[in-house]
């Protein structure tokens, strides 16, 4: 095995070098503290590998994203979200009969316990959809106590994975219905996964809702593109929470909370709000580019930049094309799409963005599609969570199967050293 040498004072230590299947190199420091008394410091984990994984490969320099070895471009073009979910969770593309069985098991569980409806009643109609989703997901664990057993057999874990895939679309659609004060629509299991979701979202008891095939196709694509992205903030959260042997519902709910932030999944909502703001302000692109570059101005170009992708985000490329296709097919002209394209063009020729290698990320164009489909802006991040669910489940399962230890980083303490307690009477 390849070794790296670490010199600390007069002593030299050998560190194993781990090489991934795509040639990525890592220094194995898992015994560093025991051997040397030192820890490593990497705030924000910019250089820290938290696990070895077989699920998703990203090459940020080349703009490559693959699930279980399959290029995202091929999956987005040819597969369905459930096929991709199967691939992520079980490791291989399903055969036709495996997929039918998987879809059948999901269809059996699309209903949610009637008592859950009462939870929805308790939220104000102005509640943010991410807050409702996280709360209700965590609450689901109380309806499935078998999920609380940290040593549950594989079939119990699998059943709860299927439950989550089945129930999340129903929950999201019901969040929308609650928001609008409309009657909740029950699943129609003769429909495909995405069609059923659209039926529960936009259908009404008073008429049959037939989704436009372009919308079904665009939504499938978006869900696939969001399905996994290795050890990002929310996925790491899911694995971290799961590493304490917390149940799968609590772990996924924690992932929803992590995704909510505007620097992560919350960016898709922020992008549309930013584009609308620029439009309302007269569409002066250069003014907003200048604000984004100004270090004294907190404004950032939302949907730009990525911790990993430094040349382009392959998902953004596919989504930009899909946005054009779906808007054309639906005959929608969204002026915000024109602003987005202009903003991208100006930013990509500006030295500030070129030097920092800032490109549109997955969130830059996704909101334009969501909006064309009829999804309200404050539900964009919930749609991201919908897609990311498959990845969270796959990553949680991988972590559990590998028997990974509880996540417990160290720190460098820089607070006060020992001092004597002063009773309050003497503190003045
Ligand atoms: N607009 C203007 N400047 C930016 C932007 C931006 N969107 N993103 C990064 N920069 C600048 C930073 O100010 C910094 O400049 P400096 O070197 O002069 O100080 C430099 O580029 C590096 O940025 P960091 O914040 O250090 O990069 P990091 O990897 O920590 O952050 C992040 C990545 C959070 C995505 C960042 O680019 C950002 O805030 N983007 C906007 C929010 C966004 O779109 N988030 C979604 C990400 S994708 C996802 O989670 C699904």
């Amino acid at each position: 095995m390849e070794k790296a040498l670490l010199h600390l004072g007069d002593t030299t230590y050998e560190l194993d070098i781990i090489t991934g299947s795509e040639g990525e190199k890592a220094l194995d420091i898992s015994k560093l503290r025991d051997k040397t008394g030192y820890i490593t410091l990497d705030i924000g984990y910019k250089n820290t590998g938290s696990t070895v994984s077989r699920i998703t490969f990203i090459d940020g320099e080349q703009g490559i994203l693959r699930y279980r070895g399959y290029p995202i471009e091929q999956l987005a073009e040819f597969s369905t979200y459930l096929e991709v979910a199967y691939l992520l969770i079980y490791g291989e593309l399903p055969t036709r009969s495996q997929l039918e069985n998987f879809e059948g098991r999901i269809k059996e569980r699309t209903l949610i316990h009637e008592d859950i409806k009462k939870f929805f009643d308790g939220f104000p109609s102005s509640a943010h959809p991410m807050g409702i989703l996280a709360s209700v997901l965590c609450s689901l664990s109380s309806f499935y106590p078998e999920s609380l057993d940290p040593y549950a057999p594989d079939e119990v874990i699998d059943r709860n994975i299927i439950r989550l895939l089945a129930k999340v679309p129903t929950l999201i659609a019901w969040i929308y219905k609650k928001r609008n004060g409309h009657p909740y629509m029950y699943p129609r299991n003769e429909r495909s996964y995405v069609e059923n979701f659209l039926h529960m979202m936009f259908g009404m008891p008073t008429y049959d809702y037939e989704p436009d095939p372009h919308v079904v196709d665009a939504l499938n694509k978006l869900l696939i593109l969001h399905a996994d992205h290795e050890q990002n903030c929310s996925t790491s959260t899911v694995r971290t929470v799961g590493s304490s042997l917390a149940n799968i519902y609590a772990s996924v709910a924690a992932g929803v909370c992590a995704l909510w932030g505007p620097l992560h999944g919350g960016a898709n909502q922020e992008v549309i709000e930013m584009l609308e703001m620029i439009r309302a302000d007269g569409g002066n692109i250069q003014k907003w580019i200048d604000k984004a570059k100004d270090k004294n101005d907190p404004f950032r170009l939302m949907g730009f930049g990525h911790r990993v992708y430094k040349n382009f985000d392959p998902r953004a490329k596919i989504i930009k094309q899909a946005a054009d296709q779906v808007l054309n097919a639906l005959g929608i002209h969204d002026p915000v799409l024109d602003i987005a394209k202009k903003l991208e063009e100006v930013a990509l020729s500006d030295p500030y963005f070129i030097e920092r290698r800032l490109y549109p990320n997955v969130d830059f164009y996704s909101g334009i599609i969501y909006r064309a489909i009829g999804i309200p802006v404050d539900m964009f991040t919930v749609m991201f969570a919908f897609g990311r669910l498959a990845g969270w489940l796959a990553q949680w399962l991988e972590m559990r199967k590998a028997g990974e230890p509880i996540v417990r980083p160290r720190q460098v303490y820089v607070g006060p050293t020992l001092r004597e307690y002063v009773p309050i009477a003497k503190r003045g």
Side-chain angles (χ1 to χ4, degrees):
M1 179 180 276
E2 243 187 299
K3 304 278 183 194
L5 299 180
L6 172 68
H7 303 290
L8 285 174
D10 295 337
T11 317
T12 299
Y13 299 92
E14 275 192 346
L15 298 174
D16 289 346
I17 294 180
I18 311 284
T19 306
S21 52
E22 292 285 349
E24 293 168 300
K25 302 271 186 197
L27 300 179
D28 182 354
I29 56 152
S30 48
K31 300 271 184 300
L32 185 72
R33 190 170 175 280
D34 291 345
K35 280 190 190 166
T36 67
Y38 283 70
I39 62 165
T40 54
L41 182 62
D42 183 19
I43 297 169
Y45 302 149
K46 294 194 178 195
N47 306 285
T48 297
S50 58
T51 192
V52 289
S53 178
R54 294 171 188 279
I55 301 173
T56 290
F57 173 68
I58 299 176
D59 182 331
E61 297 300 321
Q62 310 280 337
I64 292 173
L65 170 61
R66 295 184 200 135
Y67 299 159
R68 304 276 188 189
Y70 296 102
I72 192 65
E73 293 79 7
Q74 292 177 17
L75 293 169
E77 183 157 3
F78 302 117
S79 65
T80 63
Y81 176 66
L82 283 191
E83 214 180 322
V84 167
Y86 186 102
L87 171 71
L88 288 168
I89 295 165
Y90 303 112
E92 295 296 335
L93 283 171
T95 61
R96 191 178 294 276
S97 74
Q98 282 169 331
L99 184 61
E100 278 169 12
N101 179 268
F102 184 59
E103 288 173 343
R105 292 177 66 215
I106 290 171
K107 283 181 177 177
E108 279 167 22
R109 293 173 174 84
T110 48
L111 284 170
I112 46 183
H113 197 290
E114 286 291 300
D115 287 348
I116 293 271
K117 267 191 184 170
K118 297 181 194 140
F119 288 55
F120 282 86
D121 292 342
F123 290 106
S125 54
S126 58
H128 195 282
M130 287 296 270
I132 305 182
L133 184 65
S135 319
V136 179
L137 272 175
C138 202
S139 311
L140 275 183
S141 60
S142 50
F143 290 81
Y144 305 105
E146 62 173 10
S147 68
L148 305 184
D149 176 4
Y151 306 105
D154 288 353
E155 64 268 22
V156 171
I157 292 176
D158 193 49
R159 190 156 53 237
N160 285 291
I161 285 176
I162 297 285
R163 277 193 183 116
L164 274 160
L165 285 168
K167 292 177 200 310
V168 160
T170 315
L171 289 177
I172 293 177
W174 283 20
I175 290 171
Y176 177 70
K177 293 299 194 192
K178 158 77 194 183
R179 188 179 179 279
N180 292 352
H182 290 166
Y184 300 121
M185 293 295 286
Y186 283 83
R188 293 275 297 273
N189 287 341
E190 75 279 8
R191 300 188 175 206
S192 75
Y193 190 71
V194 167
E195 285 169 341
N196 189 25
F197 168 70
L198 290 167
H199 148 76
M200 290 188 286
M201 279 285 283
F202 301 121
M204 285 293 221
T206 43
Y207 60 85
D208 275 338
Y209 171 80
E210 282 308 323
D212 186 306
H214 296 102
V215 170
V216 176
D217 187 51
L219 193 49
N220 241 316
K221 264 200 181 64
L222 282 172
L223 294 175
I224 291 169
L225 293 172
H226 286 93
D228 196 49
H229 213 233
E230 51 114 308
Q231 308 310 316
N232 56 82
C233 177
S234 56
T235 303
S236 302
T237 301
V238 170
R239 289 183 81 126
T240 299
V241 173
S243 78
S244 74
L245 301 186
N247 69 78
I248 197 162
Y249 296 95
S251 307
V252 167
V256 171
C257 293
L259 189 72
W260 195 351
L263 295 187
H264 192 14
N268 55 14
Q269 173 173 346
E270 303 269 333
V271 169
I272 283 285
E273 287 169 356
M274 173 189 78
L275 295 172
E276 282 293 3
M277 190 169 67
I278 296 175
R279 187 164 86 104
D281 190 49
N284 184 348
I285 305 284
Q286 195 55 50
K287 171 181 162 189
W288 294 91
I289 294 273
D290 292 342
K291 275 168 78 62
K293 288 158 49 177
D294 182 355
K295 291 292 165 208
N296 298 316
D297 189 323
F299 177 76
R300 274 193 168 198
L301 212 50
M302 298 312 288
F304 256 73
H306 199 275
R307 174 61 63 80
V308 179
Y309 294 120
K310 297 299 173 198
N311 279 321
F312 66 94
D313 179 340
R315 303 166 300 172
K317 265 195 169 175
I318 301 170
I319 291 181
K320 183 179 178 183
Q321 209 182 16
D324 272 331
Q325 279 166 358
V326 76
L327 265 64
N328 281 340
L330 300 179
I332 296 174
H333 175 248
D334 189 341
V336 150
L337 180 59
D338 300 335
I339 292 189
K341 285 183 177 170
K342 187 85 189 123
L343 199 60
E344 178 185 354
E345 194 186 313
V346 176
L348 293 187
S349 57
D350 187 302
Y352 174 95
F353 292 90
I354 296 170
E355 278 158 23
R356 288 170 183 75
R357 304 168 83 192
L358 302 169
Y359 295 83
N361 60 48
V362 67
D363 289 323
F364 196 64
Y365 288 102
S366 61
I368 290 164
I369 305 185
Y370 288 137
R371 201 150 84 142
I373 293 176
I375 291 166
V377 175
D378 67 355
M379 288 198 67
F380 288 2
T381 316
V382 157
M383 295 304 295
F384 190 153
F386 182 2
R388 186 53 55 86
L389 177 67
W392 288 336
L393 296 172
Q395 299 270 354
W396 186 95
L397 189 63
E398 183 180 67
M399 177 271 308
R400 276 293 174 89
K401 285 203 159 163
E404 289 185 4
I406 184 167
V407 173
R408 204 308 187 183
R410 295 269 178 175
Q411 63 164 17
V412 176
Y413 176 72
V414 294
T417 52
L418 181 65
R419 42 186 177 162
E420 282 293 317
Y421 175 79
V422 181
I424 193 146
K426 291 190 180 169
R427 266 179 257 157

